[in-house]
Amino acid sequence: MSVFLMFFIVLSCGIARQKYVIEDYTIVPNAKEIIGNKGLHAFVFENNKKILPFQQFIANKYKLNNYQEKEFWVTIDQDQYKLIVYDNDEVIKYINTNDFTLANQDPEVLNIGNQADFIAISMINSRNEDCLEEGSLYENIAVKYLKQLKEEFLSNGR
């Protein structure tokens, strides 16, 4: 009986997993799949729920038709790239956010809408290539652009 009780206690407590704080951003492999590609890499950063929702920021910045539009083309140095913004359900489905912890938790924050704790974005070029894949010729272009986009979004709250 005592062996069973000890086994139950160990299982119920679980093994504590190390959680990581995303200081700036992280690139996560095997996210959303698109035609002709294995899972894309995703640029992930912590959301600031105190400011304008990211989808609204994106819709305003890129003059999209509505806040629900998640895929759209941008031009960087005369080349076309598609940004794929994950909604909350896709972040949960494709990104293992259990590995991350929030650095900027604020229990007083009123969560406007159903905002995700983390924002994830994938990027492909006009030839359907994953721009965030390690070693890609487009990796530096994609990371630089997405870092600037992240900073612009987060500066809305300052």
Side-chain angles (χ1 to χ4, degrees), residues 109-125:
V109 171
L110 175 63
N111 188 358
I112 302 168
N114 188 19
Q115 293 189 58
D117 291 334
F118 300 96
I119 294 171
I121 307 167
S122 290
M123 188 172 184
I124 59 172
N125 64 16

Side-chain angles (χ1 to χ4, degrees), residues 89-117:
D89 292 337
E90 290 171 327
V91 169
I92 292 166
K93 179 178 178 180
Y94 295 110
I95 312 297
N96 187 7
T97 57
N98 293 328
D99 291 343
F100 307 126
T101 187
L102 296 171
N104 301 309
Q105 282 185 320
D106 187 351
E108 302 295 318
V109 171
L110 175 63
N111 188 358
I112 302 168
N114 188 19
Q115 293 189 58
D117 291 334

Side-chain angles (χ1 to χ4, degrees), residues 25-63:
Y25 70 93
T26 189
I27 305 291
V28 177
N30 300 318
K32 191 174 189 176
E33 293 179 17
I34 60 169
I35 297 173
N37 268 329
K38 56 188 182 289
L40 294 173
H41 288 72
F43 180 95
V44 180
F45 63 96
E46 186 174 339
N47 192 6
N48 181 347
K49 297 177 184 179
K50 296 178 190 176
I51 61 177
L52 184 73
F54 188 70
Q55 290 78 2
Q56 189 174 350
F57 165 77
I58 291 292
N60 293 342
K61 177 176 176 56
Y62 296 104
K63 298 175 181 27

